[in-house]
Amino acid sequence: MTPHEVRTREFAACRRGVDPDEVREFQARLSDELATLNETVRLLSQENDRIKRALRDWQTMHARECSSAPEQGRNSGRW
């Protein structure tokens, strides 16, 4: 559900229903919270992608360094 859907949701009127102003206020608060959470998820996803790229780059660099070092025997290296 998007913030816009929360903010614009309509409810059927009934004789002993809830206060429409209170419902609208709640919808506005919920919509704002959803927008904040969606932005947080987007930023965390970008950070996750950045960290994954950095790890891949480090692994590639490390693999090159290890393969260019003289062979000292299997499993005798630091890594």
Side-chain angles (χ1 to χ4, degrees), residues 20-35:
D21 292 334
E22 196 174 324
V23 170
R24 293 288 176 234
E25 182 183 322
F26 176 77
Q27 283 179 306
R29 283 194 341 252
L30 182 59
S31 175
D32 293 343
E33 182 68 20
L34 266 175

Side-chain angles (χ1 to χ4, degrees), residues 20-77:
D21 292 334
E22 196 174 324
V23 170
R24 293 288 176 234
E25 182 183 322
F26 176 77
Q27 283 179 306
R29 283 194 341 252
L30 182 59
S31 175
D32 293 343
E33 182 68 20
L34 266 175
T36 300
L37 290 172
N38 285 340
E39 178 66 10
T40 300
V41 167
R42 186 184 70 76
L43 292 173
L44 289 173
S45 180
Q46 287 178 344
E47 178 70 2
N48 187 33
D49 290 342
R50 186 192 67 76
I51 291 170
K52 284 180 182 179
R53 281 192 308 273
L55 177 60
R56 274 194 305 269
D57 292 346
W58 180 86
Q59 287 172 327
T60 301
M61 179 191 67
H62 184 71
R64 278 190 215 127
E65 288 176 3
C66 289
S67 65
S68 65
E71 284 294 321
Q72 297 176 346
R74 187 164 207 170
N75 293 329
S76 62

